[in-house]
Amino acid sequence: MTGFAYLGALVVSLGGLAVLDRRFRLAFWADPARTAITLVVGVLFFLAWDVAGLALGIFARGDSPHMTGLQLAPELPVEEAVFLTLLCYNTLLVWRFLDLRLRGRGRREAARPAAGTAGTTGTAGTARTTTRPTGPAEVGKTSDGPTTGAGA
């Protein structure tokens, strides 16, 4: 049973990333095809890197009672492919979150009127009214709501 502990932990971690992805619609729930292509390319790149490292004698498979013993190739355990998927998916989610966050901040700053004035800004047919704080209770209040999606 302990032979699947590491693989199980990797799969549970991937599940956690999928839950975050679903909640914030960062990758698979935003653009499934592009995400799948990105992950496949990333995992294949790192697998090729591993194979090259193994062929050159730079990398070697370690032994652990927590690994399955199943191998994709000599000295290349199946857990490595799952780990690389986790690594690429995690990196993609962080990238998408930061990208959306910074783009959202840029839009908010661009929509903000000149300092100390109230006004209406917008584009053809849409208007937004912005006002400055009117009382002491409103001064210093900021809203940093969700970065994406309806119902988020």
Side-chain angles (χ1 to χ4, degrees), residues 65-85:
H66 304 290
M67 294 175 60
T68 62
L70 301 173
Q71 296 185 18
L72 297 173
E75 299 294 315
L76 186 63
V78 71
E79 291 88 355
E80 183 69 9
V82 178
F83 170 75
L84 292 174
T85 303

Side-chain angles (χ1 to χ4, degrees), residues 120-128:
T120 302
T121 60
T123 57
T126 62
R128 268 186 300 196

